[in-house]
Amino acid sequence: MGAHSMRAIRVLLVDDQPMIRTGFRLILEAEPDITVVGESPDGERAVADTRELRPDIVLMDIRMPGTDGVEATRRIVADGSASRVIILTTFDLDAHVVDALRAGASGFLVKDGPADSLVEAIRTVDAGDAVLSPRVTHRLLDRFARLADAAIPPVPSRLAALTGRELDVLRALTRGLSNAEIAHELGVGETTVKTHVAHILDKCDLRDRVQAVILAYDSGLVVPGGGQR
């Protein structure tokens, strides 16, 4: 179990349907390295419960009455919380998922997916990575970029600090390449690629690779359909 054997991953469940929350609780509490610290019936409570309980992971339903999952995620991230949000959706290409990722979520899961994918996602995000592969993020953004907020301005200043090689790595991330594939394409070691990715996240103040791909789209570095500048 490695690092996970040292502590339990603390999870907050957010869904307006009690039966859904109960089902997730049963799945998660069967795992020795995961504990459910609370349940929130809506986004408003989720924000308050995150402040109080300080979970490692928030499993957030995207569609709820009142404060929805997108707004709740935005507020949790704005609070500077260390809690990381995984969005739960009924549809794997829900347009609101892009908004949630832009708000700071670390990925998304489809509610009717296999139980082991939920458990693995929690462990992955807790380890500091993102649930979405860049390939899935690319597909989502290609489909919904035109539906997203057109008022979002370009943010070239956030990319100005990146070196030419770091921009190459960022472009490769938007194409869904793994670290190993990027290393092969650029003719460098995989450790070097990992260092470049870490520098991109640090310089641009990003949580994970998903946010890096979104920044590449929002900045105009790449455009829907695979074009690049």
Side-chain angles (χ1 to χ4, degrees), residues 72-90:
T73 298
R74 186 176 292 115
R75 288 166 58 181
I76 287 171
V77 172
D79 275 350
S81 172
S83 302
R84 295 168 70 85
V85 178
I86 299 174
I87 289 291
L88 298 169
T89 178
T90 305

Side-chain angles (χ1 to χ4, degrees), residues 9 42 50 53 77 83 122 148 195 202 210:
I9 303 170
D42 54 56
T50 299
L53 300 173
V77 172
S83 302
I122 288 171
T195 300
D202 181 59
V210 170

Side-chain angles (χ1 to χ4, degrees), residues 52-127:
E52 178 183 351
L53 300 173
R54 299 174 185 248
D56 299 305
I57 303 294
V58 180
L59 283 182
M60 179 82 72
D61 185 23
I62 198 168
R63 294 176 179 270
M64 295 178 289
T67 301
D68 64 13
V70 175
E71 178 59 24
T73 298
R74 186 176 292 115
R75 288 166 58 181
I76 287 171
V77 172
D79 275 350
S81 172
S83 302
R84 295 168 70 85
V85 178
I86 299 174
I87 289 291
L88 298 169
T89 178
T90 305
F91 307 102
D92 66 349
L93 287 178
D94 190 331
H96 294 288
V97 169
V98 174
D99 294 330
L101 294 173
R102 283 198 166 111
S106 293
F108 84 97
L109 289 173
V110 181
K111 282 187 179 181
D112 60 1
D116 58 353
S117 68
L118 173 64
V119 172
E120 184 59 30
I122 288 171
R123 291 176 179 147
T124 297
V125 171
D126 182 66

Side-chain angles (χ1 to χ4, degrees), residues 9 11 13 24 30 38 48 53 74 96 100 133 161 167-168 196 208:
I9 303 170
V11 177
L13 303 176
F24 284 142
L53 300 173
R74 186 176 292 115
H96 294 288
S133 71
L167 287 171
D168 290 341
H196 285 318
D208 50 47

Side-chain angles (χ1 to χ4, degrees), residues 152-160 204 214-220:
I152 297 175
V155 282
S157 62
R158 293 182 70 186
L159 299 182
C204 297
I214 290 171
L215 176 59
Y217 274 82
D218 284 345
S219 68

